[in-house]
């Protein structure tokens, strides 16, 4: 069955307002930004959550005077970062970063949670990709789902559908109100478009991939060689390639759990930059971000445009966004590494998050809150 064919899945990369996803989607673009985006940019959407999925009960499209006026909480938004290897036509993308943004009922407090890319999960069968289901790492759900049985180029939007189903099954969150995919190039462009970010580097992070001048390190049969970029602890200003490079490193102390923490800290740094500089209400800045992002991001708001979510979440400030780290440990089989499992406290947090009791749980378990 070739459900992955373009005309049956309605996948179109989102240009326009989705360029502000990490920045404006989470904190709001304001009336000026909303007017600019609505009048200048087309707002197509892609089917990330399954074309048979019904509209979100908290985001049912209906005419409104103010964008997003009928969006109510709580909301769950699935954010995914991928490496599309755009130069390799048959590359099936992996989910390198999987984050859940949970926003409370009043839409003025949020929790950003990462799931390990190597988390062992039960990936359900997915006929559109010819996938029969089975246990594997979470990152593979995107690649398995993106497969096109008709031989077409792998489809990240279709892959997201399987990833969303997998995350829902694991976390117990029955549905996501919106979803977005941003590739590596888009993240780098976004950071450059807002003039870089200021971040506290919380540990020494040697780069596997980059030289100090930003060039790529040489790759030989024994691995990467040559001069190496190193991010030393302390307050740093990072441009686009530095932010992306820093976010990619997982062969460091703390492994992928440290990388998850760095992903979240970078997102919050972006939000802080947008807020402090009032970039989301600056039409020139909005235009610069939208142009820079191009088609590197795909969005699905279940019938709502990104700007509706941006306006609905305008009261969600960086200080009201809590970063949550879920501890876990490696799983081995016959001496071989096979993936990660969350510790009981991490699984318990997901239960409490789903039930709307995240604040109380974190008060009792402050070690899960990421700072910096």
């Amino acid at each position: 069955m070739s459900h992955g064919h373009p005309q049956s899945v309605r996948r179109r990369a989102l240009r326009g307002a989705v360029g502000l996803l990490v920045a404006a989607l989470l904190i709001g673009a304001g009336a000026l930004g909303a007017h600019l985006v609505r009048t200048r940019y087309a707002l197509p959407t892609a089917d990330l959550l399954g074309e048979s999925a019904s509209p979100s009960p908290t985001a049912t499209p209906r005419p409104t005077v103010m964008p997003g006026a009928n969006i109510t909480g709580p909301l769950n938004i699935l954010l995914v970062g991928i490496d599309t290897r755009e130069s390799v036509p048959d590359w099936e993308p992996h989910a390198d970063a999987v984050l859940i943004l949970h926003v409370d009922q009043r839409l003025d407090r949020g929790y950003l949670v990462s799931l390990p890319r190597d988390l062992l999960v039960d990936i359900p069968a997915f006929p559109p990709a010819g996938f029969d289901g089975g246990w594997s790492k979470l990152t593979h759900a995107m690649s398995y789902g993106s497969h096109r049985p008709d031989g077409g180029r792998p489809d990240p939007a279709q892959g997201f559908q399987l990833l969303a189903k997998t995350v829902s099954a694991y976390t117990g969150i029955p549905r996501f109100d919106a979803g977005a995919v941003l590739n590596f190039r888009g993240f780098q462009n976004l950071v450059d478009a807002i003039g870089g970010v200021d971040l506290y580097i919380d540990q020494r992070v040697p780069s596997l991939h980059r030289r100090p001048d930003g060039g790529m390190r040489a790759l030989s049969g024994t691995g990467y060689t040559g001069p190496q970029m190193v991010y030393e602890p302390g307050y740093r200003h990072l441009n686009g390639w530095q932010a992306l490079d820093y976010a990619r490193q997982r062969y460091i102390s703390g492994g992928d759990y440290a990388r998850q923490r760095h992903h979240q800290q970078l997102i919050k740094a972006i939000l802080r930059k947008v807020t402090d500089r009032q970039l989301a209400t600056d039409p020139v800045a909005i235009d610069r971000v939208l142009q820079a992002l191009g088609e590197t991001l795909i969005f699905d708001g279940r019938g709502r445009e990104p700007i509706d979510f941006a306006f609905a979440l305008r009261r969600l400030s960086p200080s009201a966004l809590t970063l949550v780290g879920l501890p876990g440990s490696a799983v081995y089989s016959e001496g071989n590494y096979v993936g990660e499992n969350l510790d009981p406290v991490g699984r318990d947090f997901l239960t409490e998050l789903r039930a709307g009791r995240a604040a109380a749980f974190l008060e009792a378990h402050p070690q899960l809150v990421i700072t910096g």
Side-chain angles (χ1 to χ4, degrees), residues 29-354:
L32 177 60
H35 174 72
L36 174 73
V37 170
R38 282 198 186 281
T39 55
R40 174 165 178 173
Y41 294 95
L43 294 171
T45 58
D47 185 9
L48 299 179
L49 300 169
E51 64 180 354
S52 62
S54 59
S56 169
T58 59
T60 303
R62 52 183 85 140
T64 62
V65 175
M66 181 183 297
N70 291 322
I71 294 180
T72 59
L75 298 175
N76 291 296
I77 300 172
L78 184 60
L79 307 173
V80 178
I82 63 171
D83 177 6
T84 57
R85 302 286 176 93
E86 293 165 315
S87 61
V88 182
D90 59 349
W91 173 258
E92 293 180 347
H94 290 68
D96 285 292
V98 180
L99 302 99
I100 299 169
L101 172 65
H102 176 85
V103 187
D104 68 8
Q105 189 168 4
R106 293 168 55 90
L107 301 181
D108 59 0
R109 173 177 291 189
Y111 302 89
L112 189 63
V113 188
S114 294
L115 295 178
R117 71 185 300 277
D118 290 345
L119 184 65
L120 289 175
V121 293
D122 187 7
I123 303 177
F126 192 60
F131 179 67
D132 295 330
W135 284 88
S136 189
K137 297 176 181 178
L138 179 61
T139 185
H140 294 153
M142 171 70 79
S143 53
Y144 294 157
S146 70
H147 177 71
R148 295 272 296 281
D150 62 4
R153 185 182 179 96
D155 189 338
Q158 182 178 285
F160 191 102
Q161 292 181 24
L162 180 56
L163 181 68
K165 292 177 184 295
T166 303
V167 174
S168 287
Y170 183 84
T171 62
I173 296 173
R175 60 188 292 118
F176 290 98
D177 299 288
V181 183
L182 181 67
N183 70 26
F184 283 178
R185 180 165 57 91
F187 179 80
Q188 178 173 325
N189 290 350
L190 172 62
V191 173
D192 280 334
I194 65 172
V197 294
D198 298 305
L199 184 73
Y200 182 79
I201 306 297
D202 61 10
Q203 69 179 79
R204 188 176 188 270
V205 177
S207 172
L208 186 68
H209 311 95
R210 297 274 194 166
R211 303 193 306 256
D213 64 2
M216 303 302 297
R217 300 180 71 208
L219 181 60
S220 65
T222 57
Y224 290 93
T225 61
Q228 187 175 29
M229 178 66 180
V230 177
Y231 303 91
E232 299 289 356
Y235 288 99
R236 310 291 175 196
H237 180 81
L238 304 181
N239 62 23
W241 74 260
Q242 292 169 333
L244 173 61
D245 184 49
Y246 177 72
R248 293 184 65 188
Q249 306 310 314
R250 63 190 177 108
Y251 297 106
I252 56 178
S253 176
D256 190 57
Y257 294 95
R259 185 173 74 155
Q260 295 170 46
R261 181 175 72 247
H262 297 160
H263 288 163
Q264 295 183 43
Q265 291 169 338
L266 276 165
I267 290 176
K268 195 164 184 176
I270 291 171
L271 300 183
R272 188 178 299 112
K273 176 68 171 288
V274 172
T275 301
D276 291 348
R277 300 291 180 87
Q278 297 183 330
L279 299 180
T281 57
D282 179 349
V284 175
I286 292 174
D287 185 79
R288 183 170 65 246
V289 171
L290 299 182
Q291 294 291 341
L293 265 289
E295 297 186 0
T296 62
L297 200 149
I298 308 171
F299 178 85
D300 185 356
R302 292 189 180 272
R304 288 288 193 180
E305 296 176 354
I307 200 64
D308 291 314
F309 283 90
F311 207 93
L313 301 182
R314 64 192 180 278
R315 293 182 293 132
L316 182 59
S317 66
S319 62
L321 181 65
T322 300
L323 309 182
V324 181
L326 304 182
S329 56
V331 178
Y332 293 88
S333 176
E334 298 181 351
N336 297 314
Y337 173 78
V338 294
E340 300 287 328
N341 269 342
L342 290 183
D343 293 347
V345 68
R347 296 194 295 271
D348 288 346
F349 172 78
L350 293 174
T351 298
E352 297 303 294
L353 179 74
R354 188 174 66 245

